[in-house]
Amino acid sequence: MEHHDVLVIGAGAAGMMCAIEAGKRGRSVLVVDHAKAPGEKIRISGGGRCNFTNLGATHLNFLSANPKFCVSALRRYRPRDFIALVERHGVAYHEKTLGQLFCDGSARQIVDLLLAEMRAAGVQLRLETRVEGVTKTEGGFEVALSSGKVACASLVVASGGKSIPKMGATGLGYDIARQFGLGVVDTRPALVPLTFEPATLARLSPLSGIGLDAVVSHGKTKFREGMLFTHRGLSGPSILQISSYWREGDEIRVDMAPGVDALAALKAARTATPRQAVATVLSTLLPRRVAQLIADEDAPDKGNIADCSDKVLGRLAGAVNAWTVKPAGSEGYRTAEVTLGGVDTDALDSRTLEAKAVAGLYFIGEVVDVTGWLGGYNFQWAWASGWSAGQSV
Ligand code: FDA
């Protein structure tokens, strides 16, 4: 039987980082993946430019049943550590916004960088290889692969979440966790566009394709970023962010003119330009089609702004600064960037990511119940958790 010190399941961001670190420590490492190519999600990430980290990443940017679980790994491997690696490989990058770092060129540079590091560390990579079963042995694990049986002392599960099944996402990591008695926190699509039921969609259909700056809130959680009306519902960064907090039946609130007191602006316009049409006044605050829809719905019988009572202006301002809407659902795993939930952090050592009750078994990256905001946080978690396990395997 083939023997390795470490077998890593999943050649994604977390698995490759773990393999590199383990290889550098002199471990013999095999990484297996059922996909044809490694790091496919890295390749398509950040619109092809890979938002590979966020300068401000702390545990406050993550969702988890235990919000403090990710602190240790995030402190052990920081954004500056990955930036140093990127710089060592001469990959040019820039900060786009809000601390988000992207490659100037292509996300493929990040995949190539990881592959170069793996080669330098003597890591073996085997693609198009299925995992058929895992058994615990005295010295570690025996894993049945489609290429044959492999014995290893440490088994690292880095098989990611369920998002984008078309790209090879599976629930294998959760199945292995359950097999060894580890808990799995319920999973759901996150960082995902939200959808409306048909009646709302029909009402809002004239707005499809319009983007604007917005503050989107769910309870006390709010994000100010772009928002996009789509032919299914709402998308854009602020919506993806809030989707991780939203649950079926909940409303979200949207301020479509952040920083502007719409009521004060409308009252001022009523005095200064009383003969302007309501939609024209609103279009100083909002894209024209949005302004028209609000005017049609909330002041249907009012021609000019002068015709609007304080009550009507209040209604119009509410639609601008505090539009409340109940999404019907989300686009699901088909388009979700990540999976919320996953392997219960209670079962893992936060410093090493090793299962507390199963020596030698590790879970890293997205398969764990640690989910980042949009903005490079998820890759930082993949690097940090992979690096931390790599020091221990
Ligand atoms: P990842 O999913 O990367 O890797 C898991 C690997 O395991 C895959 O190669 C898969 O083929 C393999 N695998 C799965 N099941 C298997 C099985 N049964 N047998 C063998 N192999 C198996 N994040 C960010 O920080 N910045 C960004 O710009 C983006 N952009 C982005 C865009 C899009 C479209 C998506 C879908 C996601 C992002 N993300 C992101 C999220 C980011 O891609 C994600 O969090 C990380 O890739 C997670 O890394 P992992 O290594 O944990 O899993």
Side-chain angles (χ1 to χ4, degrees):
M1 184 176 345
E2 190 180 346
H3 285 262
H4 294 277
D5 295 329
V6 183
L7 175 65
V8 180
I9 300 176
M16 290 199 276
M17 177 56 91
C18 176
I20 291 162
E21 290 304 311
K24 286 204 276 197
R25 290 174 51 241
R27 303 288 187 267
S28 75
V29 185
L30 173 67
V31 181
V32 295
D33 201 299
H34 66 171
K36 283 199 174 88
E40 280 293 87
K41 277 201 184 152
I42 302 174
R43 190 179 55 78
I44 62 155
S45 68
R49 290 233 158 88
C50 186
N51 177 192
F52 55 79
T53 192
N54 191 298
L55 292 171
T58 73
H59 72 282
L60 299 173
N61 309 111
F62 292 85
L63 292 87
S64 171
N66 174 0
K68 294 273 179 74
F69 177 81
C70 58
V71 169
S72 173
L74 291 174
R75 282 203 183 135
R76 294 185 78 193
Y77 191 84
R78 294 180 185 265
R80 63 168 178 255
D81 297 312
F82 195 77
I83 294 166
L85 182 63
V86 165
E87 289 179 350
R88 244 187 353 264
H89 284 261
V91 176
Y93 63 92
H94 61 279
E95 180 181 346
K96 195 168 167 193
T97 174
L98 305 169
Q100 302 168 6
L101 301 191
F102 285 76
C103 298
D104 289 354
S106 152
R108 184 167 285 287
Q109 292 174 286
I110 301 293
V111 180
D112 291 345
L113 166 171
L114 294 165
L115 289 173
E117 290 281 323
M118 290 213 296
R119 275 192 300 275
V123 173
Q124 283 184 49
L125 171 63
R126 196 170 297 158
L127 298 167
E128 297 184 88
T129 303
R130 287 189 320 278
V131 177
E132 288 164 353
V134 176
T135 338
K136 183 89 185 84
T137 60
E138 213 166 283
F141 302 86
E142 201 177 284
V143 181
L145 301 173
S146 49
S147 60
K149 282 193 172 171
V150 172
C152 58
S154 297
L155 177 63
V156 181
V157 182
S159 52
K162 292 184 187 169
S163 46
I164 326 255
K166 231 169 68 184
M167 290 190 69
T170 69
L172 176 71
Y174 312 123
D175 295 340
I176 296 177
R178 289 192 193 96
Q179 178 190 339
F180 287 96
L182 280 67
V184 176
V185 175
D186 287 348
T187 54
R188 57 181 282 126
L191 299 183
V192 63
L194 297 175
T195 56
F196 292 139
E197 37 81 35
T200 310
L201 261 191
R203 242 184 73 216
L204 300 179
S205 66
L207 308 187
S208 179
I210 294 176
L212 42 75
D213 180 31
V215 175
V216 180
S217 347
H218 174 267
K220 288 191 178 141
T221 308
K222 54 175 80 172
F223 292 94
R224 178 175 181 171
E225 286 183 68
M227 183 181 89
L228 182 70
F229 290 91
T230 72
H231 63 290
R232 295 169 190 274
L234 294 173
S235 187
S238 58
I239 293 296
L240 300 191
Q241 299 281 31
I242 219 69
S243 73
S244 299
Y245 295 85
W246 175 82
R247 294 294 178 273
E248 284 70 11
D250 293 352
E251 288 179 333
I252 58 170
R253 237 163 78 132
V254 181
D255 179 353
M256 292 189 277
V260 177
D261 179 343
L263 184 58
L266 294 175
K267 281 186 173 168
R270 189 174 55 185
T271 307
T273 55
R275 300 172 75 166
Q276 259 188 349
V278 173
T280 307
V281 173
L282 284 170
S283 70
T284 61
L285 309 176
L286 298 166
R288 179 78 212 187
R289 276 186 281 158
V290 182
Q292 189 66 56
L293 188 80
I294 292 177
D296 291 348
E297 289 195 347
D298 292 312
D301 51 352
K302 312 288 183 232
N304 296 333
I305 192 78
D307 303 334
C308 298
S309 63
D310 281 359
K311 192 172 158 199
V312 173
L313 290 193
R315 206 158 61 216
L316 292 167
V320 176
N321 284 140
W323 177 46
T324 303
V325 65
K326 193 187 278 191
S330 82
E331 290 189 6
Y333 289 117
R334 190 178 60 79
T335 61
E337 285 203 9
V338 287
T339 302
L340 207 61
V343 177
D344 192 342
T345 57
D346 274 355
L348 304 176
D349 180 312
S350 64
R351 190 176 155 77
T352 62
L353 286 303
E354 185 175 14
K356 288 175 186 164
V358 189
L361 181 62
Y362 294 78
F363 291 86
I364 57 173
E366 199 181 316
V367 73
V368 179
D369 173 31
V370 172
T371 307
W373 291 357
L374 186 79
Y377 302 101
N378 285 295
F379 278 135
Q380 188 56 36
W381 168 246
W383 315 134
S385 58
W387 187 93
S388 298
Q391 309 309 311
S392 175
V393 285

